[in-house]
Amino acid sequence: MKKFEELTIGDTLGPLDLIVTKEQCRNYAKISGFGEVAGRFTDEEAAKKEGLPGIILPGNMSLGLLSKLVTDWIGPANARLIRMGTTYRVPVQPDHRLVLNGFVTNTNPNDRTAEIDVWIENEEGERLVTGTATVEFPK
Amino acid sequence: MVDFDPAIINKVFENTDPVEVKPEMIARFCASLGESNPLFTDPEAAKKGPYGGIVAPPSFAVTFRNGRHFFDHIPRYGRRGFDAGKDVEFVAPIHPGDKISLSSHVKEIYEKTGRTGTMVFVVIRSTLKNQKDEVVAHIDHRFMNRP
């Protein structure tokens, strides 16, 4: 992790290639208490009845993966993710290849923060989830 | 323009009972996301970190459930709404042993016309506090409806 002074607009996070398994998806849903209310995250048949191709990731899980992209970038440094906003554009499916990306879009020396664009895309390069994050560096 | 009673804006409709954050809840959460950052997963390594011990990854904040009647208080416009996005302010880290409670209100309601027609957005803000009455996070849930 760079120091705040070493950051440059355009610095990249990722790309991180990953596949979320159905098991991970179900586990995440259960932990978040979704299991009993929304079968679309846990049960293939229930998801298909809703017109979905199969079970999908909870939106919060996508937010979790993008947060992890940022906290992995921070690593053991003493900087902190202080804000994240996400937009869920297209349902994200388990057992499909996902690519997580990000880059620094702005730095603010007054409050020592960096603004970051983040997104999850599929193999075709379609952006499924987009977001922005703010990281605060030690004063 | 979308029709609603302005009195519902900012009125808190939900205060949940505190939920104690057990270390295994954080561990299970980390496992489901493939988390490996020692600040969140390794008690020994985390001792030397900025928080003096394990803390939950920031996005753990979004796993706290609103009450059972949460969805009864979200105004509906037309067909079933869906989760369009979130805006989360991570104010302070969540530690094992913290007792977290939520209070929620309708923050705003607005209409937007895009490629696919008119959409009504309802934004619910949940504020998370710990046992010391300190705010740990603000979460804006953005729900989209099609009238």
Side-chain angles (χ1 to χ4, degrees):
Chain A
M1 171 78 175
K2 290 177 173 179
K3 293 196 170 95
F4 178 77
E5 287 72 18
E6 297 163 353
L7 288 180
T8 310
I9 290 171
D11 281 353
T12 55
L13 288 71
L16 179 67
D17 245 279
L18 59 90
I19 290 174
V20 176
T21 64
K22 289 195 175 113
E23 197 52 33
Q24 267 181 292
C25 183
R26 289 194 185 100
N27 284 340
Y28 185 94
K30 277 178 204 150
I31 291 163
S32 310
F34 286 120
E36 62 205 72
V37 288
R40 72 178 86 156
F41 306 129
T42 56
D43 177 5
E44 290 290 331
E45 289 313 309
K48 283 178 183 158
K49 263 185 207 151
E50 288 194 65
L52 296 163
I55 67 172
I56 59 167
L57 270 64
N60 283 343
M61 189 174 191
S62 293
L63 186 145
L65 293 170
L66 288 172
S67 300
K68 182 176 176 297
L69 177 74
V70 177
T71 53
D72 282 353
W73 179 68
I74 294 170
N78 192 13
R80 209 167 77 78
L81 172 63
I82 59 167
R83 193 195 61 79
M84 174 162 280
T86 48
T87 299
Y88 307 130
R89 304 177 71 231
V90 180
V92 181
Q93 294 176 257
D95 290 349
H96 283 60
R97 188 172 158 239
L98 304 172
V99 186
L100 277 61
N101 283 284
F103 69 94
V104 175
T105 57
N106 200 16
T107 56
N108 185 343
N110 291 329
D111 53 13
R112 296 178 67 80
T113 56
E115 294 297 323
I116 298 164
D117 271 8
V118 289
W119 69 95
I120 300 178
E121 58 186 38
N122 62 14
E123 237 168 347
E124 288 76 44
E126 184 184 15
R127 294 188 182 196
L128 312 175
V129 179
T130 58
T132 57
T134 309
V135 172
E136 185 180 59
F137 288 73
K139 302 260 182 326
Chain B
M1 199 40 216
V2 56
D3 206 24
F4 63 90
D5 177 3
I8 70 166
I9 303 292
N10 288 332
K11 190 173 155 226
V12 172
F13 62 76
E14 178 92 53
N15 281 301
T16 65
D17 292 331
V19 170
E20 186 177 339
V21 178
K22 304 209 168 77
E24 56 270 27
M25 288 161 71
I26 297 177
R28 279 206 302 270
F29 179 79
C30 286
S32 73
L33 285 175
E35 184 60 72
S36 58
N37 188 321
L39 291 180
F40 310 133
T41 58
D42 181 345
E44 279 310 308
K47 269 186 198 163
K48 295 175 208 124
Y51 311 112
I54 278 188
V55 293
S59 74
F60 186 72
V62 299
T63 65
F64 292 91
R65 294 184 74 175
N66 271 283
R68 196 172 298 169
H69 303 295
F70 180 70
F71 286 98
D72 300 342
H73 294 272
I74 301 174
R76 300 278 171 142
Y77 299 96
R79 284 195 278 140
R80 186 175 177 181
F82 80 90
D83 186 0
K86 293 252 168 1
D87 221 306
V88 191
E89 218 183 298
F90 306 105
V91 181
I94 296 172
H95 299 262
D98 277 358
K99 295 184 179 71
I100 305 293
S101 54
L102 272 78
S103 71
S104 299
H105 65 266
V106 179
K107 188 183 168 192
E108 55 178 334
I109 298 174
Y110 59 92
E111 204 175 273
K112 227 170 152 176
T113 305
R115 262 181 313 121
T116 53
T118 302
M119 298 167 282
V120 178
F121 290 88
V122 178
V123 181
I124 309 286
R125 166 162 281 210
S126 298
T127 296
L128 276 65
K129 285 184 174 177
N130 64 18
Q131 66 283 3
K132 295 175 224 158
D133 208 35
E134 295 160 345
V135 172
V136 295
H138 296 289
I139 303 172
D140 288 351
H141 312 263
R142 205 156 63 249
F143 294 99
M144 194 271 270
N145 301 254
R146 288 192 187 280

